[in-house]
Amino acid sequence: MTDATSTPPGGGARTKSSLMTLDNRVRRRNAAEARFRAYGIAAVTVGLIFLALLLFAIVRNGVPAFTQTFMTIPVELKADKLDKNGNRDIEEIKKVSTFGYKPLIIDAMSRTLADNGIESPFAKDKDLEKMVSASASAQIRDFVIANPGRIGETVDFRVLASSRVDGYMKGRVAREDLARDKNLDAEHLDVTDALNEAGVLKREFNWAFILGADASESRPEQAGIGVSMLGSFFMMLVVLGLALPIGVAASIYLEEFAPKNRWTDLIEVNISNLAAVPSIVFGILGLAVFIQFAHLPQSAPLVGGLVLTLMTLPTIIISTRASLKAVPPSIRDAALGVGASKMQSVFHHVLPLAMPGILTGTIIGLAQALGETAPLLLIGMVGYIASNYPDGIASGFLDPNSAMPAQIYEWAKRADPAYYERAWGGIIILLLFLMTMNIIAIILRRRFERRW
Amino acid sequence: MPALWLLCIVLAIAVIGFFLGRARAMASAQGDARHLHSLPGYYGYNTALTVLVPALGVMIAWLILQPMLIQNAVSDAIPGTAYADTGALNLIMSDVRRVADGLDLAIAQGAMTPDAATALSTETTNIRETLAQVGVALGSDVEPYVLSAAQDYRRLNGIGHLAMTVIVLALAIGGFAFAYLRTNKDFRARNVVEKGVLAMLIFAASIAIMTTIGIVLSLVFNTVEFFKLYPWTEFFFGLTWAPSFGGGSELGIIPLFWGTFYISIIALAVAVPVGLFAAIYLSEYATPAVRAFAKPMLEVLAGIPTIVYGLFALLTVGPALVTVFGPDATGWMGGSRAVITAGLVMGIMLIPFVSSLSDDIINSVPQAMRDGSLGLGATKSETIKQVVMPAALPGIVGAILLAASRAIGETMIVVLGAGAAARLSMNPFEAMTTVTAKIVSQLTGDADFASPEALVAFALGMTLFVITLGLNVFALWIVRKYREQYE
Amino acid sequence: MYDAPASEQKVTQNETKIAARNVQVFYGSTHAIKDVNVEIEDKTVTAFIGPSGCGKSTFLRCLNRMNDTIDICRVEGDILLDGEDIYDARVDPVQLRAKVGMVFQKPNPFPKSIYDNIAYGPRIHGLAKNKADLDDIVEKSLRRGAIWDEVKDRLHAPGTGLSGGQQQRLCIARAVATEPEVLLMDEPCSALDPIATGQVEELIDELRENYSVVIVTHSMQQAARVSQKTAFFHLGNLVEYGETGQIFTNPVDPRTESYITGRIG
């Protein structure tokens, strides 16, 4: 210990100071500390503010989609228009197209105005047509075809108001906007106000948005997300049916049986990299392999499901392996010790114990797949108007359909801003599904989680 | 649907096989399971698996291969004079398939007898009209060689289906017979079944590899096709992106790269400081209560689908930025779609990604390091800046690289928020486009898959795949190295 | 001196450096330290001994407020350093820890060069006027840490590349570099082999010339070898405190005797 010198290393430069007084340097350092901490708080706050803004935007813009403006109008089903020959022949009645019903609606509107003592500001009653959704004539026609006996009567119909009237009722369309809008004039809004006061116009909860089908570009008031919800449902069936068994089987092999060699190393590296491959690349894969190569039908939920399966597999494998790893070796040893084969020990003991973890991982993987859009764009699940419910199970898998996120994208692309409201509303439904799935996963984890 | 029926029959044979195999084993042991080598169920499984695996394997392979083989056979029969290049051939082939499917449909609907369908000729019948009646729309009138190819196609398809049915059923019954005859009390059924199960497990594990191979092959083949039609030098070094489906497109990737890069940089400039500081605060400063609230809340951001962020960019952030920087204010911004819109929103999306990865990494720095520094009289921030961060740096770099690869591969936000114009510009308020957005725009719609304008999407995808894969491999390697250091 | 039996060590009365009065420590609802009174002298090695979980490390960590980093830990009573209460609201733990340095159980060099490890403390406390000054401090500290000869040729190699014993001496040198008045050592040799332990013990003895050293150890032999004063902790109580020689040869409390003779532990 010859190196030790008797003076302290700093040469005794420091004078003895009291602990009770802070020197300037410590004060400066403490200020830096406070600043640093403030940056941290600011960062967390910024993150939370972004989340709050996002949720606020979704709720504020999306909630109106769940209500819709309806009006009840008395329509006289004039026999001379609908059934010229008067023989109530259903084939002849069917020949009258929806166009033939328009005059009835216009009449009904002007009668409604008259009944409520509202003076029509229009020179021609025809202008009133713009206030009613184009879907109304189809609705009335369907009624007439179903009940040909009621031709000649006056029946009260609850019809959708047009999207502009609806937008005005919801505050989405302002009077200033009308200058650029050829679909509606200021007079229409006056009539709307009057009808609203008279209680003819009503904003009601719109089940058709949740359960209904998509509509063409020009009638946003009629569009619903129900059909694409079914598309998503069939896709999730495919994902669940394939990704869960394959993922679990692959994880069991890799975790329990695989020898440590190059091949398994390669599989492992490959899986962790696949999990980070951009989803759009899976779309290209689906397009090239399932559609170009295997000639599976375009836009079919089956193909969407296959693509999402491949995309979800790495997630499921990674979480399944983690839950298999969490089962302690003592369980395996105990089973092997009483003479079970390796396979029996895994299937009888390890797998059941790991099941809650596997299910949690699978649900989270499914939630991811449910919200994924990009690959669906490439296999043609966008740009398709999902207007028909599938007829059965086979048609559910194979007939062209859309999916919830793809439907939302489709609405976001459409020119009519009324569709934006639908897109936000669709997001609320999608997020409700995702939230439910995640809550189930959390409950599963809480309930069955075991600490060894 | 014959394939479905076939599947049901095979399944039924397997179920019957299970019970018969089990019964035979029990019988050979005089009804006493203790005399058996394996549990009785294993004999049943053995029979069922021997029926199912070969039969279904052949069926799946057949269903995949048959269309390809028939396609090749039929396209050889089409006269070379009828088409100029492979693109035209593909169009003809899709007509052939549509005619063939239409004829099948017509027979199924009873609009035509099978014999009448076989005897059709383009001179006597207007096939386009006939098929339109059953709901199959054709783009043009049917040429004679298309009809004859379609007839060939139907004939080969019929033969193929018949052969498949026969072979699959033969395999199923043969498998049943083989396993059933082998079943006796000394047969080591468990070992055989377990080997079979292991083989299935290995197969499942290989699907991940097959996915990668599928990705690579589908990208490589189409990219090679593309480079046959378009010089690769112009693709990689071209400064203009101007596809036109009429021909004469300029397909330079550089403007797309620039857009991708620019947007990713903005995204990272938002996500890295916010995410990193949030992670530091949550792991080093926050009380347990704050952490228990803020951490899951930030992770909610990660669970929100990208389409939501896309819409948020298009309809909320973009218009908000326009009110600040738009024509009515500073005038910097023309429209709501811009690099800054997409970058900002993508940054928000990446915050939880950066923060939770960094959080893990910061937490894996041993507490002893912090104690050492605090014990020397360092403040917490000095400890973090000078000890924890340098120790965690490799891991954090890895996390940032993973975030960058996310940003580069992100699609929905840029499709909705960034715009469609390919541009080389420094102005973040301008609309630009990215590699992913162009993949989507080139492959959606009714593009002809043989044209360079559609095939370029595969070359773009290939480039994207290579870049993100490189980033991921590198980042995962760094992170793994880092973890090993402290384990 | 190193090999001298504890009973023969020369004992001089030094002034009190740290005085603890009625110190209680709680971890959540656990009462970890119960009413400890002790006076630690300057220029003396004081050893805290006792069975595992007796609270000796906890008490040591109270002396430079390292327990502040644990959320659920609560300290009551007074601990005075040179007559000033270190738990006073006006005291900044940062300033306190500059005066009361600490060496930990496991060597914990920072993932930096040897030079930067030593220079870390002087840099944050602003002890060096310039680079030459800093070089000087680093050299002197490494000499005091008795590791200079081993590392002087590779000052810019990473500190983590040293052997365990070297790492621990590096950590001691690092603690010395900030010119503390008290050095706390929490089982500094438990992760070291016997040869490295010998080197560190020798170093501790040298350090006594300038500092008040408090060492926690579970090795009674080590306490006997390096310390002048010994405190025996048991179940959170300070059972006995006195001259090392006296504790080991003639303990007053029967619990101390049981521990020394190996009946409890």
Side-chain angles (χ1 to χ4, degrees):
Chain A
M1 293 290 115
T2 49
D3 289 336
T5 54
S6 54
T7 47
R14 254 153 73 112
T15 50
K16 269 208 178 241
S17 59
S18 167
L19 279 174
M20 297 298 166
T21 50
L22 293 180
D23 61 43
N24 280 334
R25 190 178 171 83
V26 172
R27 229 175 262 136
R28 262 204 327 275
R29 288 170 60 203
N30 282 347
E33 168 78 13
R35 273 201 305 279
F36 191 76
R37 200 188 157 95
Y39 296 150
I41 295 176
V44 174
T45 317
V46 165
L48 294 179
I49 287 176
F50 280 142
L51 176 66
L53 280 179
L54 182 59
L55 294 181
F56 177 74
I58 292 170
V59 171
R60 207 191 88 151
N61 296 316
V63 164
F66 290 89
T67 57
Q68 202 65 41
T69 308
F70 291 92
M71 56 177 108
T72 308
I73 48 173
V75 180
E76 190 191 352
L77 304 172
K78 291 177 187 153
D80 58 328
K81 288 257 166 70
L82 303 181
D83 187 19
K84 288 190 182 100
N85 303 331
N87 52 15
R88 297 291 183 268
D89 179 359
I90 200 81
E91 289 304 321
E92 270 179 50
I93 294 171
K94 275 186 184 167
K95 284 205 175 122
V96 182
S97 70
T98 51
F99 197 73
Y101 286 80
K102 292 249 158 108
L104 303 185
I105 294 171
I106 296 167
D107 281 356
M109 280 302 290
S110 51
R111 190 193 300 190
T112 311
L113 258 61
D115 286 353
N116 290 289
I118 302 163
E119 202 170 314
S120 173
F122 302 109
K124 288 179 291 179
D125 278 351
K126 198 167 186 305
D127 280 341
L128 282 170
E129 192 196 327
K130 286 181 181 172
M131 299 192 62
V132 182
S133 164
S135 68
S137 36
Q139 182 190 347
I140 297 168
R141 180 169 178 266
D142 288 347
F143 175 84
V144 169
I145 290 169
N147 309 287
R150 301 189 64 171
I151 290 177
E153 293 176 35
T154 299
V155 183
D156 276 354
F157 281 97
R158 179 169 164 274
V159 297
L160 282 165
S162 73
S163 86
R164 297 306 147 95
V165 170
D166 179 57
Y168 180 68
M169 292 282 286
K170 288 173 180 168
R172 192 180 65 230
V173 175
R175 276 172 190 270
E176 304 86 73
D177 300 337
L178 294 177
R180 282 174 278 143
D181 195 339
K182 62 181 189 327
N183 288 324
L184 215 60
D185 303 318
E187 287 79 12
H188 286 112
L189 298 186
D190 297 336
V191 175
T192 305
D193 282 337
L195 283 175
N196 188 21
E197 249 165 64
V200 176
L201 282 174
K202 278 200 195 87
R203 242 178 106 177
E204 285 167 34
F205 191 79
N206 184 17
W207 281 106
F209 172 64
I210 301 173
L211 302 173
D214 193 12
S216 67
E217 185 105 17
S218 59
R219 20 176 131 155
E221 68 276 2
Q222 204 194 354
I225 202 168
V227 173
S228 46
M229 205 187 284
L230 277 176
S232 276
F233 172 74
F234 281 106
M235 280 195 327
M236 289 304 112
L237 280 188
V238 175
V239 176
L240 186 66
L242 289 176
L244 181 61
I246 294 177
V248 170
S251 314
I252 291 178
Y253 177 70
L254 292 175
E255 201 55 44
E256 306 283 340
F257 294 100
K260 277 271 152 241
N261 59 24
R262 288 245 176 115
W263 177 244
T264 44
D265 270 359
L266 181 69
I267 296 185
E268 296 213 10
V269 171
N270 187 37
I271 287 173
S272 51
N273 280 313
L274 267 186
V277 166
S279 56
I280 185 92
V281 172
F282 284 96
I284 296 181
L285 168 79
L287 176 68
V289 172
F290 297 129
I291 292 177
Q292 280 186 311
F293 182 74
H295 295 295
L296 289 172
Q298 259 207 338
S299 315
L302 175 68
V303 178
L306 287 175
V307 171
L308 294 180
T309 300
L310 294 182
M311 215 188 77
T312 323
L313 256 184
T315 318
I316 293 187
I317 292 180
I318 289 169
S319 70
T320 303
R321 291 190 60 182
S323 29
L324 288 175
K325 214 177 269 172
V327 178
S330 59
I331 303 277
R332 297 173 180 81
D333 293 345
L336 296 177
V338 296
S341 69
K342 178 98 188 156
M343 193 72 76
Q344 284 170 323
S345 89
V346 170
F347 278 93
H348 296 171
H349 300 282
V350 178
L351 198 54
L353 289 173
M355 217 55 206
I358 295 173
L359 288 182
T360 310
T362 308
I363 294 172
I364 288 170
L366 276 183
Q368 224 180 50
L370 185 63
E372 191 55 66
T373 325
L376 304 183
L377 304 188
L378 297 193
I379 54 166
M381 298 190 81
V382 168
Y384 173 81
I385 297 181
S387 51
N388 293 313
Y389 293 97
D391 309 327
I393 293 179
S395 124
F397 284 117
L398 292 170
D399 283 357
N401 202 336
S402 189
M404 276 194 281
Q407 181 75 70
I408 292 167
Y409 172 71
E410 178 65 28
W411 283 339
K413 277 196 323 178
R414 289 189 186 165
D416 191 338
Y419 269 116
Y420 295 162
E421 177 192 283
R422 303 266 150 186
W424 286 112
I427 281 176
I428 292 184
I429 295 179
L430 180 63
L431 287 184
L432 283 179
F433 273 103
L434 296 182
M435 212 169 74
T436 317
M437 290 166 87
N438 279 297
I439 287 174
I440 292 174
I442 290 170
I443 291 173
L444 262 179
R445 191 180 302 163
R446 289 259 165 90
R447 255 201 85 186
F448 296 102
E449 192 178 49
R450 239 179 260 239
R451 293 243 173 253
W452 303 94
Chain B
M1 190 183 245
L4 191 64
W5 277 110
L6 192 57
L7 179 71
C8 291
I9 294 170
V10 171
L11 283 177
I13 297 177
V15 171
I16 295 166
F18 175 85
F19 288 106
L20 288 182
R22 200 181 122 118
R24 183 174 160 97
M26 286 302 277
S28 78
Q30 283 86 42
D32 186 347
R34 281 175 301 173
H35 295 306
L36 289 172
H37 169 270
S38 312
L39 290 173
Y42 279 107
Y43 294 90
Y45 286 127
N46 176 46
T47 319
L49 287 178
T50 323
V51 170
L52 279 181
V53 174
L56 292 189
V58 167
M59 186 165 146
I60 290 167
W62 198 293
L63 285 176
I64 293 171
L65 290 176
Q66 178 178 308
M68 293 165 51
L69 294 176
I70 291 180
Q71 172 106 3
N72 282 339
V74 173
S75 61
D76 285 346
I78 292 178
T81 48
Y83 56 90
D85 52 27
T86 47
L89 178 61
N90 282 344
L91 284 182
I92 294 175
M93 280 312 295
S94 74
D95 268 355
V96 168
R97 276 195 303 277
R98 221 172 290 162
V99 171
D101 292 346
L103 290 177
D104 286 341
L105 196 65
I107 294 168
Q109 291 185 352
M112 213 183 267
T113 60
D115 290 335
T118 334
L120 272 182
S121 114
T122 44
E123 280 143 37
T124 53
T125 334
N126 186 340
I127 295 174
R128 193 176 173 191
E129 264 176 24
T130 319
L131 292 183
Q133 282 168 9
V134 294
V136 177
L138 291 176
S140 57
D141 281 330
V142 178
E143 299 288 334
Y145 62 84
V146 170
L147 180 65
S148 77
Q151 298 290 19
D152 278 351
Y153 185 87
R154 289 185 57 226
R155 190 170 47 80
L156 288 173
N157 246 344
I159 296 172
H161 271 298
L162 187 67
M164 178 181 83
T165 311
V166 171
I167 290 175
V168 166
L169 282 180
L171 275 174
I173 292 166
F176 169 72
F178 175 70
Y180 185 76
L181 292 177
R182 250 200 333 173
T183 303
N184 66 57
K185 71 180 170 51
D186 294 324
F187 178 58
R188 300 161 76 105
R190 185 176 55 74
N191 306 41
V192 173
V193 168
E194 286 187 355
K195 265 199 197 124
V197 171
L198 189 63
M200 287 195 268
L201 296 184
I202 293 175
F203 174 75
S206 314
I207 285 187
I209 294 275
M210 291 194 268
T211 308
T212 309
I213 295 173
I215 290 176
V216 171
L217 287 185
S218 55
L219 290 173
V220 166
F221 271 127
N222 288 297
T223 305
V224 168
E225 282 296 306
F226 171 66
F227 286 139
K228 278 185 200 158
L229 299 172
Y230 193 86
W232 65 272
T233 44
E234 281 180 41
F235 173 68
F236 284 115
F237 303 111
L239 296 178
T240 323
W241 174 269
S244 77
F245 281 96
S249 307
E250 283 189 81
L251 303 169
I253 196 175
I254 293 201
L256 307 186
F257 254 151
W258 172 243
T260 307
F261 181 73
Y262 203 171
I263 290 173
S264 304
I265 290 290
I266 292 179
L268 290 178
V270 173
V272 170
V274 175
L276 201 54
F277 270 105
I280 290 172
Y281 181 77
L282 290 178
S283 61
E284 304 279 338
Y285 286 102
T287 60
V290 171
R291 191 178 155 84
F293 168 76
K295 202 171 146 63
M297 277 300 152
L298 284 183
E299 275 162 15
V300 167
L301 281 175
I304 291 176
T306 54
I307 175 76
V308 181
Y309 286 106
L311 210 62
F312 188 55
L314 177 69
L315 299 179
T316 308
V317 175
L321 288 173
V322 167
T323 56
V324 180
F325 301 110
D328 301 337
T330 57
W332 295 344
M333 216 164 155
S336 66
R337 290 171 174 225
V339 168
I340 181 107
T341 313
L344 191 61
V345 174
M346 202 188 282
I348 298 174
M349 181 192 81
L350 291 176
I351 288 173
F353 194 73
V354 174
S355 81
S356 60
L357 274 175
S358 312
D359 194 37
D360 283 357
I361 282 156
I362 290 171
N363 278 332
S364 63
V365 172
Q367 184 61 31
M369 295 274 173
R370 296 184 182 85
D371 284 350
S373 172
L374 294 172
L376 288 172
T379 60
K380 254 186 166 172
S381 63
E382 286 162 349
T383 304
I384 294 162
K385 279 186 278 191
Q386 300 184 30
V387 176
V388 177
M389 279 299 132
L393 193 64
I396 288 175
V397 169
I400 292 172
L401 288 182
L402 282 178
S405 127
R406 269 274 171 108
I408 291 171
E410 174 49 42
T411 310
M412 295 320 294
I413 295 177
V414 292
V415 166
L416 286 168
R423 236 190 225 118
L424 275 167
S425 153
M426 287 300 290
N427 184 357
F429 296 102
E430 264 186 279
M432 287 185 210
T433 194
T434 68
V435 174
T436 49
K438 283 298 141 189
I439 293 177
V440 170
S441 70
Q442 297 310 105
L443 285 181
T444 48
D446 297 323
D448 161 19
F449 280 130
S451 69
E453 288 77 19
L455 283 172
V456 69
F458 292 98
L460 292 175
M462 185 84 201
T463 324
L464 178 71
F465 180 69
V466 169
I467 290 173
T468 52
L469 189 73
L471 271 177
N472 292 337
V473 170
F474 184 53
L476 289 172
W477 179 77
I478 290 182
V479 171
R480 193 195 282 188
K481 273 270 164 277
Y482 169 77
R483 292 247 160 85
E484 280 165 2
Q485 186 190 332
Y486 290 118
E487 259 164 18
Chain C
M1 167 122 79
Y2 176 69
D3 290 318
S7 55
E8 287 171 24
Q9 282 180 1
K10 194 175 106 211
V11 173
T12 50
Q13 190 61 45
N14 290 312
E15 57 183 298
T16 300
K17 190 68 187 171
I18 297 176
R21 304 214 182 98
N22 306 88
V23 174
Q24 323 270 351
V25 180
F26 301 89
Y27 279 116
S29 58
T30 318
H31 198 169
I33 296 286
K34 295 164 193 157
D35 207 25
V36 167
N37 287 285
V38 71
E39 298 204 333
I40 292 164
E41 293 169 11
D42 203 5
K43 303 201 193 303
T44 308
V45 177
T46 307
F48 290 175
I49 61 168
S52 318
C54 66
K56 52 192 193 300
S57 286
T58 305
F59 184 65
L60 186 79
R61 292 169 68 94
C62 291
L63 299 183
N64 73 342
R65 294 183 58 174
M66 280 301 280
N67 282 339
D68 289 14
T69 57
I70 299 163
D71 290 323
I72 55 165
C73 182
R74 188 158 52 84
V75 179
E76 289 174 9
D78 300 323
I79 298 177
L80 307 179
L81 176 70
D82 291 332
E84 291 177 317
D85 184 1
I86 65 169
Y87 279 91
D88 190 282
R90 284 169 295 169
V91 173
D92 192 317
V94 166
Q95 220 168 343
L96 169 71
R97 288 178 198 145
K99 290 187 171 199
V100 184
M102 190 156 192
V103 176
F104 297 85
Q105 188 168 358
K106 242 180 89 190
N108 55 354
F110 302 137
K112 299 163 176 280
S113 70
I114 293 170
Y115 183 95
D116 287 336
N117 261 282
I118 304 293
Y120 180 75
R123 275 190 185 132
I124 56 177
H125 294 295
L127 299 186
K129 287 186 284 290
N130 50 40
K131 178 81 170 79
D133 210 10
L134 190 60
D135 290 348
D136 196 39
I137 295 176
V138 170
E139 180 177 342
K140 279 185 179 162
S141 307
L142 286 168
R143 283 184 192 279
R144 291 201 69 80
I147 190 178
W148 171 252
D149 286 336
E150 289 155 74
V151 300
K152 66 182 175 209
D153 300 326
R154 44 170 174 153
L155 287 176
H156 296 282
T160 42
L162 298 172
S163 73
Q166 288 173 323
Q167 285 190 3
Q168 193 62 300
R169 280 179 286 147
L170 178 69
C171 292
I172 295 173
R174 187 175 70 187
V176 167
T178 55
E179 297 172 35
E181 295 163 21
V182 180
L183 257 186
L184 308 176
M185 299 193 174
D186 190 356
E187 304 197 17
C189 301
S190 66
L192 304 183
D193 62 49
I195 293 170
T197 303
Q199 288 167 328
V200 171
E201 285 180 2
E202 204 173 332
L203 174 59
I204 292 169
D205 200 55
E206 308 253 343
L207 292 171
R208 179 161 67 92
E209 282 184 41
N210 296 304
Y211 310 102
S212 167
V213 179
V214 184
I215 173 168
V216 162
T217 174
H218 56 228
S219 154
M220 285 172 286
Q221 290 80 357
Q222 187 173 55
R225 284 196 299 266
V226 301
S227 70
Q228 288 77 52
K229 291 274 198 149
T230 296
F232 172 62
F233 284 81
H234 187 241
L235 300 175
N237 296 302
L238 175 64
V239 175
E240 194 167 348
Y241 175 57
E243 301 292 336
T244 300
Q246 187 237 322
I247 295 263
F248 278 92
T249 52
N250 192 11
V252 176
D253 195 286
R255 283 172 291 178
T256 318
E257 195 183 353
S258 304
Y259 181 69
I260 305 270
T261 53
R263 276 201 294 271
I264 58 171

